[in-house]
Amino acid sequence: MNEHYPFVNPPLSYPYDAMEPYIDTKTMELHHDRYLQAYIDNLNQLLKEYPEYQNLSLEQLALYAECMPPHIQTSVRNNAGGAYNHIFYFSVLKNSGAACPSGLLASVIDWQFNSFDNFKKLFTDAALSVFGSGYAWLVLDAENKLSIRTTANQDTPLFFNVQPLLVIDVWEHAYFLKHYNMRADYVKDWFSVINWEQVEKNYAP
Ligand code: MN3
């Protein structure tokens, strides 16, 4: 995708129905073509008037929004964050991939969380603890340790000075059509479509 303005919505690297039966086709279509598209369109619209910010990346826009004129701070932060978070979310989905991490990442998860099953439990608890809309993340922090973080709305974990490895979107639009209000069922299904190969690359590029 473009590193800066004008941003374009990167096409999914898989068909809309690729995550069936865990995440339904219609949800994937709406999520990518409407929700993510809207963040990108809004951001481009906003930046049209601000050539001085047009060379910034999504990460920079989300991070530096608070240094911008007060009347655009919230919109830049939400729309750049919304685009960044969604692109990241779609990039770590894959059906029929490995069921769990391997290699170095697997060892570090075992070491830091005692076992993969315990990591899964803690990550699920975090995803369920998000009140309202937001995300749960596995990140690498400044001390090179893995941790589980949650963010509200379209905040990004970049605010914590960490490197994101894996994310689940727990906004209702990510699961409502199939799982209704049962976020726990969605989180359970989502664990079947994690692209662990990509997460490993994010960990040790
Ligand atoms: Mn979403």
Side-chain angles (χ1 to χ4, degrees):
M1 75 171 293
N2 283 5
E3 289 291 315
H4 53 74
Y5 175 91
F7 292 100
V8 291
N9 188 352
L12 294 176
S13 60
Y14 39 75
Y16 295 113
D17 64 359
M19 304 306 147
E20 293 276 4
Y22 305 105
I23 303 175
D24 62 288
T25 308
K26 195 73 198 165
T27 294
M28 290 298 290
E29 197 182 318
L30 295 173
H31 206 171
H32 178 271
D33 293 5
R34 299 204 186 199
Y35 286 90
L36 171 53
Q37 188 67 52
Y39 289 114
I40 288 174
D41 291 346
N42 292 340
L43 188 62
N44 285 336
Q45 188 63 34
L46 266 162
L47 293 177
K48 208 191 259 182
E49 315 290 326
Y50 294 89
E52 63 271 42
Y53 303 135
Q54 289 177 356
N55 61 343
L56 298 181
S57 66
L58 287 176
E59 289 92 331
Q60 289 168 326
L61 288 162
L63 269 175
Y64 305 142
E66 60 184 39
C67 310
M68 295 178 186
H71 65 286
I72 62 165
Q73 286 180 4
T74 308
S75 303
V76 170
R77 179 179 163 129
N78 287 340
N79 289 295
Y84 176 87
N85 291 339
H86 280 101
I87 292 168
F88 204 99
Y89 170 74
F90 291 125
S91 78
V92 287
L93 291 180
K94 180 182 184 177
N95 206 343
S96 311
C100 52
S102 59
L104 182 59
L105 181 62
S107 315
V108 178
I109 285 178
D110 282 347
W111 172 57
Q112 280 202 233
F113 300 103
N114 297 319
S115 66
F116 181 69
D117 281 346
N118 196 46
F119 160 75
K120 216 167 152 175
K121 185 192 173 301
L122 294 172
F123 195 93
T124 299
D125 290 348
L128 298 182
S129 78
V130 175
F131 183 77
S133 298
Y135 296 80
W137 303 81
L138 175 66
V139 301
L140 190 61
D141 68 22
E143 282 84 52
N144 235 19
K145 285 185 72 180
L146 297 179
S147 61
I148 296 169
R149 299 278 191 137
T150 61
T151 51
N153 303 311
Q154 293 301 355
D155 287 355
T156 75
L158 303 169
F159 301 136
F160 310 128
N161 188 29
V162 296
Q163 182 190 330
L165 305 178
L166 171 68
V167 68
I168 183 171
D169 182 342
V170 294
W171 283 60
E172 262 187 359
H173 66 235
Y175 60 90
F176 191 79
L177 292 181
K178 177 178 172 71
H179 301 89
Y180 305 113
N181 61 334
M182 306 305 285
R183 188 189 289 178
D185 293 348
Y186 160 64
V187 175
K188 188 167 177 281
D189 276 346
W190 171 83
F191 264 101
S192 300
V193 288
I194 296 175
N195 186 344
W196 283 110
E197 293 89 344
Q198 184 59 49
V199 180
E200 284 160 31
K201 280 185 204 151
N202 296 340
Y203 177 67

